[in-house]
């Protein structure tokens, strides 16, 4: 069975407040995809990439530090794919494209 990883992102800490629970909504979206389209081929990984308050507009979720190490969660996911920790036949589930990036 192949792994599906969730990438959860919201721009501000307030967006995950109790009355606007972005994490729960995006997690439900990933679980729904697994049920409807995973067809038993994918399982939702326990490891979740959460970019809480990491701006997709400013690219904070793909930033690296001065040593080239991932600071942002999307950059960390990419590093784990490159080093083989995450298998290449895995997928990354993103609720909507603007959660992934707003860069050109």
């Amino acid at each position: 069975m192949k792994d599906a990883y969730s990438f959860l992102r919201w721009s501000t800490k307030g967006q995950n407040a109790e009355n606007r629970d972005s994490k729960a909504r995006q997690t439900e979206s990933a679980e729904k995809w697994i049920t409807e389209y995973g067809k038993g081929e994918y399982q939702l990984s326990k490891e979740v990439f959460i970019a809480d308050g990491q701006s997709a507009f400013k690219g904070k979720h793909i930033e690296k530090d001065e040593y080239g190490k991932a600071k942002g969660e999307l950059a960390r996911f990419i590093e784990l794919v490159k080093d083989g920790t995450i298998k290449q036949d895995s997928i990354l589930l993103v609720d909507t494209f603007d959660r992934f990036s707003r860069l050109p």
Side-chain angles (χ1 to χ4, degrees):
M1 185 155 311
K2 300 174 188 175
D3 287 319
Y5 294 86
S6 295
F7 177 67
L8 312 178
R9 195 196 72 72
W10 44 92
S11 301
T12 65
K13 302 256 183 214
Q15 285 179 277
N16 199 40
E18 204 168 298
N19 61 343
R20 291 182 64 190
D21 195 349
S22 295
K23 182 179 180 180
R25 184 186 56 74
Q26 292 179 46
T27 299
E28 280 180 26
S29 178
E31 290 169 345
K32 183 178 178 183
W33 188 92
I34 290 292
T35 301
E36 292 182 10
Y37 303 105
K39 309 269 189 237
E41 185 177 354
Y42 291 96
Q43 64 185 4
L44 194 55
S45 173
K46 289 181 173 54
E47 181 162 12
V48 177
F49 296 85
I50 301 175
D52 182 4
Q54 294 179 352
S55 172
F57 181 76
K58 296 177 182 176
K60 296 282 186 190
H61 63 315
I62 58 171
E63 282 187 350
K64 294 185 178 190
D65 65 17
E66 64 272 17
Y67 305 105
K69 192 80 173 149
K71 285 173 53 177
E73 283 293 277
L74 185 54
R76 186 170 72 86
F77 175 82
I78 293 167
E79 280 184 1
L80 293 173
V81 170
K82 286 180 178 178
D83 76 13
T85 301
I86 293 177
K87 295 178 185 149
Q88 291 206 10
D89 60 354
S90 300
I91 60 172
L92 181 65
L93 299 174
V94 181
D95 186 51
T96 58
F97 187 73
D98 72 336
R99 302 293 90 198
F100 183 72
S101 182
R102 292 185 180 170
L103 296 172

